[in-house]
Amino acid sequence: MKVLVIGKGGREHALCWKLKQSPRVRTVYCAPGNAGTALDAHNISLEAGDTRALTQFAKREGVHLTVVGPEEPLTNGIVDAFQREGLRAFGPRRDAAELEGSKVFAKELMRQAGIPTADYRIFHSAPDAEHYVLSREVSLVVRSKGRSTLRHTLLCRTASETLEAIDRIMDPREQLGPGVQVEIEERGQRRIFSTAAEARDYVLGRPLGMVIKADGLAAGKGVSVCDNLRQALEAIDQIMVRRIFGKAGDRLIIEERLDGQEASILALTDGRTIVPLESSQDHKRAFDHDEGPNTGGMGAYSPAPIVTPELMDQVEREILVPVVHALKRARRPFRGALYAGLMLTNQGPKVLEFNVRLGDPECQAVLMRLKSDLFEALDAVVDERLDTVTLEWDPRPAVTVVMASEGYPGHYERARVINNLEEAERMPGVKVFHAGTALRTDPALGRDDRIVTDGGRVLDVTALGDTLADAKARAYEAVRAIRFAGAWYRRDIGNRALRAARP
Ligand code: AMP
Ligand code: GLY
């Protein structure tokens, strides 16, 4: 059989590598792929968004199954297009992919289905959202100080009342002479400000827990976890005024900030049967100790010890089954890979987001442990006979360390030559999945086809080990062997799980 994988990241490389192992698969194509998929599959130079050319290719080559990796083509309806041409494609159709494509849709579906998630409000305009943020309770007392004869003591419940009070006191039109100051009292503590700007700044710095999310796809960057009012207003401004995510910011959600540990649950479903994959967890923040900006994921490990069998049961019962049912009731049956990003709160697991595809880099760690034939499983999803499939897993843990380009998740350079990949891959239990790499001919180096960096996340160095500590040690040994200018990586991938395992 011929299989086509669509995408060009580490997830797609892992899919190609695993699908190729199936005795039923003769050829794996990857469109457009990267330097790693060029080794484990045949790259086709068609972009994931080029639906027409992809369906034509699949028809011409007699591709039996197409596996769509990323969310964007799914939310654009690539599976619908394949089906219209009588082709078989793994992944949800457009209307079901809206579960990831619109956070508003996902939230409303969860509310209707009683699926635990953070409380939220939906906004269609910046002023409404700002008004909501500023109506947050702050409970401050504002007084005028100085030589003024006019004394104000204003009890301000909300931030907007406080800002108004400051304006009234400091505004010269209120006939308070020069030298007037404003005093703000918060829980018995008094602070004096000489200018309205300083006083306003103080109010906007009041801590609050809010999360602001652009409705549509924003390459994982549309979520701001805000610590204070200023950050919340800034996030609204970015999404709805400066529109840095374009149409994805037509609507936004403000939701309650949840506390706890995060976990990712991936599952295959054909709309009737749900087969969860082994648990995994990624590290989203850029720097060690979970600091710095959010990224697509800097590493992952599987299994995640925090996901006990009891928790997995609860997630199936309270989250996976209800969401698959709700989609079916909404006449948007879901077939494909379902990803639930969870916060494990004191009140149980709550959904942060649903994705309609495998997680990246979680998928790399998870597929490393899959012993069964992935092709059989994905093929069964497309035929709605997932009930005939059981998945077998290697009990050994896997760790994936992402090697990134200097500057990621901000601006970074490309085309840096990568060395020692083969040496790393020869290490026992190690597989290097390529994320952002390309093949370049460099006459200056006098050789053909050098592997160079071509993205922010460059390599997903994955290792199996007898224990998690062992898997981690092997992955990092391979990472240290690989060289490219500006390479960097987190040094603490898996530590969270190692800490959890300690008594
Ligand atoms: P999302 O794309 O919705 O998964 O959000 C990206 C990241 O933002 C998550 O992995 C969490 O770390 C964080 N996040 C999202 N929603 C919340 C929330 N309600 N409370 C706390 N953190 C959140
Ligand atoms: N690693 C997070 C994601 O794939 O969305």
Side-chain angles (χ1 to χ4, degrees), residues 11 71 100 220 264 266 282-284 295-300 339 353 355 357-363 457:
R11 166 184 47 214
E71 60 276 16
E100 177 168 359
S264 313
L266 312 181
D282 79 344
H283 293 65
K284 283 209 173 66
T295 70
M298 293 302 296
Y339 169 129
E353 62 165 345
N355 295 324
R357 41 142 183 112
L358 293 169
D360 185 347
E362 292 95 323
C363 154
R457 293 190 292 174

Side-chain angles (χ1 to χ4, degrees), residues 139-143 183-190:
S139 295
L140 299 171
V141 179
V142 178
R143 279 187 206 93
E183 179 188 88
I184 301 182
E185 183 182 322
E186 182 174 20
R187 277 183 249 109
Q189 273 243 357
R190 294 170 179 202

